[in-house]
């Protein structure tokens, strides 16, 4: 937590925006420093995420990367996923986002397609609530991963590999955000 609390405003803003691309969220989390421990930071991040309006969530959705499917995923699966994304975007006007933390790579595609198909039945307001919750969960996991990458250790929060992905906690297997390309 020392590194997080002592970071410059610019460095902290970049780190927070890599977790959730909402300037309002990043500002609110940064403004409440210093944090005594990881749980306090995560509680503040959750509170800030709950307070985001649809324009803030739209800002975050616009920055979500393309999906990272397991390398051995067959071409037909990519076609099915592209069709599901297109249907979702046509219905809701934004990218599909989901936190698949704890889902094994072999289950990722099935869970992703199942979630898209299921959520296509939501009305737009209901889906906005689901999207907000998924972004909040992703931000929390990414924040834990970013702190792990900075050498922080916190009991009860499993380590996540940090990659060159703009979302530091995303190991390409546990979290997928998808956007039709």
């Amino acid at each position: 937590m020392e590194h997080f609390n002592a970071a410059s405003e610019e460095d902290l803003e970049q780190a927070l925006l890599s977790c959730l691309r909402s300037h309002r969220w990043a500002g609110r989390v940064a403004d409440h420093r210093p944090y005594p421990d990881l749980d306090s930071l995560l509680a503040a991040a959750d509170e800030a995420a709950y307070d985001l309006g649809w324009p803030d969530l739209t800002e975050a959705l616009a920055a979500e990367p393309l999906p990272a499917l397991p390398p051995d995923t067959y071409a037909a699966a990519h076609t099915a996923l592209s069709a599901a994304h297109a249907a979702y975007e046509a219905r809701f006007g934004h990218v599909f986002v989901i936190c698949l933390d704890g889902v094994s790579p072999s289950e990722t595609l099935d869970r992703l397609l199942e979630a898209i198909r299921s959520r296509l039945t939501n009305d737009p307001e209901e889906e906005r609530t689901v999207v907000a919750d998924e972004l909040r969960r992703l931000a929390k996991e990414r924040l834990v991963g970013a702190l792990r990458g900075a050498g922080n250790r916190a009991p009860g929060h499993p380590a996540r590999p940090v990659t060159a992905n703009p979302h530091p906690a995303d190991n390409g297997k546990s979290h997928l955000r998808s956007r039709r390309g």
Side-chain angles (χ1 to χ4, degrees):
M1 289 309 313
E2 288 178 35
H3 179 74
F4 182 88
N5 287 328
S8 70
E9 280 188 38
E10 183 179 319
D11 288 345
L12 184 60
E13 179 181 32
Q14 290 307 307
L16 290 171
L17 288 173
S18 73
C19 297
L20 183 65
R21 195 92 179 144
S22 164
H23 286 85
R24 182 171 180 223
W25 178 82
R28 290 211 40 216
V29 173
D31 288 347
H32 288 93
R33 282 190 301 172
Y35 292 99
D37 54 40
L38 180 60
D39 288 335
S40 298
L41 170 60
L42 295 178
D46 264 357
E47 182 180 330
Y50 281 121
D51 290 341
L52 296 178
W54 188 244
D56 304 308
L57 295 171
T58 300
E59 175 187 22
L61 285 167
E64 289 298 317
L66 295 172
L69 293 175
D72 60 347
T73 303
Y74 51 95
H78 286 280
T79 301
L81 189 57
S82 292
H85 290 165
Y88 181 91
E89 287 188 32
R91 173 143 170 76
F92 297 110
H94 58 80
V95 298
F96 180 79
V97 63
I98 187 169
C99 180
L100 293 172
D101 188 40
V103 174
S104 72
S106 65
E107 298 173 5
T108 297
L109 179 64
D110 289 339
R111 292 285 296 276
L112 182 57
L113 287 170
E114 175 186 320
I116 293 173
R117 289 181 184 130
S118 171
R119 287 171 48 189
L120 278 168
T121 64
N122 290 347
D123 65 60
E125 284 305 311
E126 182 180 16
E127 185 58 16
R128 283 182 177 192
T129 301
V130 172
V131 165
D133 188 54
E134 294 295 335
L135 284 170
R136 181 188 58 77
R137 291 176 56 211
L138 284 167
K140 190 174 183 176
E141 289 299 318
R142 291 170 180 162
L143 191 51
V144 169
L147 290 171
R148 292 262 180 242
N152 292 290
R153 300 282 178 249
H157 299 282
R160 297 255 181 249
V162 177
T163 68
N165 188 301
H167 299 288
D170 189 350
N171 64 12
K173 297 177 185 172
S174 297
H175 306 283
L176 289 179
R177 281 107 10 242
S178 55
R179 166 185 276 166
R180 185 178 56 175

